[in-house]
Amino acid sequence: MSVAQRKQFIFAVLVTLGMAATVGGALGFEHIGGYIPCALCLLQRDPYYYGLPLGIIAILTSVMKLPAWTTRTLLVLVGLLMLIGAGIGVYHAGVEWHFWEGPSTCATTAQGISSDVGDLLGDLDAKHAPSCTDAALRVFGLSFAGWNVIASLILAAIALRGAAKA
């Protein structure tokens, strides 16, 4: 493996692990923490769901010693997806801070509230209903959408840096 291929491999692994950790964290907050995602939250996950397979393929193309342009192209695509994810996050954070109007509906198909009447009161206490306009949680002043912007920009930088290193 050449030096350029090794660098591409390292960047492909970093960005792929970063995407998996970020979307895994979101899924953890949903399934373990009880935060039911709103429609915009779910939309912010799409770039990760599309980017993860591309990242895995980028890793494989570098391991299989395919031409550097194949891995470079995949890393550019991942970088662009992460920039799109950052844009969606900025939009959602702006909706939460009431800088602009959000979508007319925020309904999701996320399963969360039990249909069993005995469990309903417990679920209402444990689950947090989705809202596109109100942040479910803020950590150091940033909502999930705000943290997604930061994660997406970091991951875009990693992917695009990896593409430029070849």
Side-chain angles (χ1 to χ4, degrees), residues 8-29:
Q8 282 184 333
F9 171 77
I10 291 168
F11 281 103
V13 168
L14 286 174
V15 75
T16 303
L17 289 177
M19 288 186 296
T22 304
V23 79
L27 290 168
F29 273 102

Side-chain angles (χ1 to χ4, degrees), residues 2 10-11 19 35 38-39 50 56 62 68 79 84 86 88 96 130 139 153 155 160 162:
S2 72
I10 291 168
F11 281 103
M19 288 186 296
Y35 290 90
C38 71
Y50 293 117
I56 292 168
S62 63
I84 290 168
I88 298 168
E96 291 173 340
V139 178
L153 289 175
L155 293 169
L160 296 174

Side-chain angles (χ1 to χ4, degrees), residues 2 4 12 24-25 46 49 51 57 64 71 82 84-85 89 101 119 132-133 143:
S2 72
D46 285 348
Y49 294 147
I57 294 169
M64 295 173 18
T71 307
M82 292 298 98
I84 290 168
E101 286 291 317
D119 291 336
C132 289
T133 58
S143 65

Side-chain angles (χ1 to χ4, degrees), residues 22-153:
T22 304
V23 79
L27 290 168
F29 273 102
E30 177 183 350
H31 295 288
I32 297 169
Y35 290 90
I36 301 170
C38 71
L40 287 176
C41 294
L42 293 174
L43 186 62
Q44 288 176 85
R45 295 180 189 178
D46 285 348
Y48 294 94
Y49 294 147
Y50 293 117
L52 274 167
L54 293 177
I56 292 168
I57 294 169
I59 292 168
L60 292 174
T61 59
S62 63
V63 168
M64 295 173 18
K65 299 179 184 170
L66 294 178
W69 67 266
T70 57
T71 307
R72 184 182 318 119
T73 301
L74 290 164
L75 287 172
V76 167
L77 291 173
V78 168
L80 292 174
L81 282 168
M82 292 298 98
L83 290 175
I84 290 168
I88 298 168
V90 167
Y91 172 71
H92 190 186
V95 169
E96 291 173 340
W97 287 103
H98 307 289
F99 293 151
W100 43 74
E101 286 291 317
S104 58
T105 179
C106 191
T108 65
T109 59
Q111 300 296 316
I113 304 296
S114 175
S115 59
D116 180 13
V117 175
D119 291 336
L120 185 59
L121 289 177
D123 275 356
L124 289 174
D125 288 336
K127 301 289 182 177
H128 308 280
S131 171
C132 289
T133 58
D134 297 319
L137 174 71
R138 290 194 189 274
V139 178
F140 300 118
L142 291 177
S143 65
F144 291 132
W147 284 109
N148 178 56
V149 172
I150 292 171
S152 294
L153 289 175

